[in-house]
Amino acid sequence: MRDALKTLFYPFEADVLAMPRQGARVLFIGAEPGFRTPQGFDAKLSLVQGFRPHVLALAAAGHDVTARAEEDGFDTALVLAGRHRGLNELRIAEAIERVAAGGLIVVAGGKDDGIASLRKRLGGLLEIEDHLPKYHGTALWFRRTAQADAAAAALRADNPEQLVEDRFRTAPGMFSFERVDAGSRLLADNLPSDIKGKVADFCAGWGYVAAEVAARAKELKALDLFEADFDALEAAKANVPNTPVQPAFHWQDLAKEPVERRYDLVVMNPPFHQDRDADPEIGQRMIKAASAALKPGGRLFMVANRHLPYQPVLAATFSSVQEIAVDSAFRVYSAKR
């Protein structure tokens, strides 16, 4: 559990903010697993989270969670800030828009998440009632007013959707939302010319690699995209053409939710960070998931940062492995099941 989760609820626990009354409706944007509400916090929580592993963990803990907020008129909104400045600002804008007039918005984040600069940014747009530092972070709060509504509009205007290479629609918070990731481009540039049959893109993001597959492969029978970030997958629906086949889109945690279909080819650029820490086990789990999803004789094409230790797990999981491209930052592997 991140310390920022404790920071978020601390003003209520410390009696600096009054506990929501019983029956009050509280929106929690960016909810993450492990949070505990203070004793006496009896409001009905509506959780919003688009990252599939968090959703599964929250659901397993008995919470109701949706990928996007579906109602408004909330009494209070809680916003857990993360490391994406633009996403933080968009979440705060939504919190303002979703609470009733005069409703309370509480925002918390860790020092490493840039909460100090976020507090300064908000202070230049609206009146912050107060703030409270705790657990290596800060909670701040304000009310929905006409000034706050203007602030929400400004936050949205400063974080618009992007159009990458005049083709791909993205938004702040998505991986590499301002440009095509260099690793993904190296992977796409080294895909074989004979792609055919059923193809899956694991960790598909907003759809760049899948779109390149669709553009180059003339004998596709299926193109399935798997992605844990709900918003990125929604963007991919607009970014990946529906020719030569109609793509299918799966909001899925590949490490925990098995893939039912079997494929002739899997392409992937797996993540390798958990928050700020490098975690090669994520990619290693993706490699095993790709092997399980491939037909006998099926092929994996994968890009990874040069320093990551994927060669041993590839060699142990596949019958043959080749490094087919390398540059100063990335390696592209081809592996056959």
Side-chain angles (χ1 to χ4, degrees):
M1 180 178 72
R2 286 208 287 141
D3 281 346
L5 278 170
K6 295 188 288 185
T7 305
L8 182 62
F9 288 96
Y10 185 70
F12 300 100
E13 185 180 351
D15 293 327
V16 177
L17 287 174
M19 292 287 184
R21 70 182 188 279
Q22 190 167 13
R25 297 168 60 238
V26 176
L27 178 66
F28 186 0
I29 299 177
E32 292 185 8
F35 75 89
R36 292 186 297 274
T37 56
Q39 187 174 0
F41 194 104
D42 297 325
K44 181 184 183 299
L45 277 171
S46 295
L47 276 51
V48 177
Q49 174 57 255
F51 183 52
R52 186 69 176 171
H54 287 346
V55 170
L56 295 178
L58 288 165
H63 298 291
D64 293 327
V65 56
T66 59
R68 288 180 174 171
E70 297 171 347
E71 300 175 354
D72 53 22
F74 289 91
D75 301 289
T76 298
L78 309 175
V79 180
L80 183 66
R83 59 193 177 97
H84 298 285
R85 179 194 61 80
L87 182 59
N88 290 336
E89 294 188 0
L90 289 172
R91 284 176 168 175
I92 292 167
E94 178 155 38
I96 294 169
E97 295 158 357
R98 296 277 179 184
V99 299
L104 178 70
I105 297 100
V106 184
V107 181
K111 291 179 180 178
D112 292 342
D113 296 322
I115 189 62
S117 61
L118 182 59
R119 177 185 159 204
K120 183 178 179 181
R121 163 83 161 133
L122 291 174
L125 295 172
L126 50 78
E127 183 179 352
I128 296 175
E129 280 190 17
D130 208 346
H131 72 283
L132 188 62
K134 189 69 173 177
Y135 303 118
H136 311 290
T138 299
L140 60 91
W141 55 92
F142 56 91
R143 305 276 171 176
R144 181 174 184 179
T145 61
Q147 184 188 51
D149 286 344
L155 292 171
R156 288 205 179 278
D158 289 347
N159 295 283
E161 284 190 351
Q162 303 283 313
L163 186 62
V164 175
E165 297 189 353
D166 296 323
R167 292 174 61 196
F168 303 105
R169 296 197 175 276
T170 70
M174 299 176 192
F175 171 69
S176 195
F177 77 96
E178 293 181 305
R179 65 186 65 84
V180 174
D181 169 65
S184 294
R185 192 185 297 278
L186 185 67
L187 173 61
D189 288 346
N190 286 277
L191 290 175
S193 59
D194 61 342
I195 296 176
K196 59 185 177 182
K198 296 177 180 179
V199 178
D201 184 354
F202 281 11
C203 315
W206 43 259
Y208 168 74
V209 174
E212 290 296 299
V213 168
R216 301 175 191 196
K218 306 307 179 187
E219 296 183 53
L220 280 183
K221 293 182 179 178
L223 179 59
D224 289 2
L225 285 74
F226 294 82
E227 172 56 43
D229 179 346
F230 182 87
D231 288 336
L233 191 66
E234 289 297 296
K237 292 177 181 179
N239 291 332
V240 180
N242 58 7
T243 57
V245 293
Q246 182 72 47
F249 301 87
H250 306 271
W251 183 39
Q252 193 161 325
D253 178 1
L254 289 164
K256 293 184 178 178
E257 297 177 288
V259 174
E260 301 299 334
R261 204 170 191 176
R262 294 295 172 260
Y263 298 96
D264 300 289
L265 187 142
V266 171
V267 296
M268 70 176 183
N269 180 3
F272 64 95
H273 279 96
Q274 185 70 36
D275 296 322
R276 285 181 172 81
D277 299 324
D279 184 0
E281 287 189 13
I282 299 172
Q284 291 165 356
R285 290 194 295 267
M286 294 302 105
I287 290 168
K288 293 174 183 176
S291 175
L294 282 166
K295 299 174 182 178
R299 295 180 293 170
L300 168 68
F301 288 85
M302 166 187 172
V303 66
N305 286 56
R306 284 186 59 163
H307 68 276
L308 292 173
Y310 290 154
Q311 184 77 32
V313 70
L314 283 165
T317 310
F318 289 86
S319 61
S320 63
V321 180
Q322 289 181 294
E323 183 182 289
I324 60 172
V326 62
D327 65 11
S328 60
F330 301 99
R331 302 179 192 272
V332 177
Y333 297 101
S334 169
K336 188 173 183 180
R337 186 174 185 276

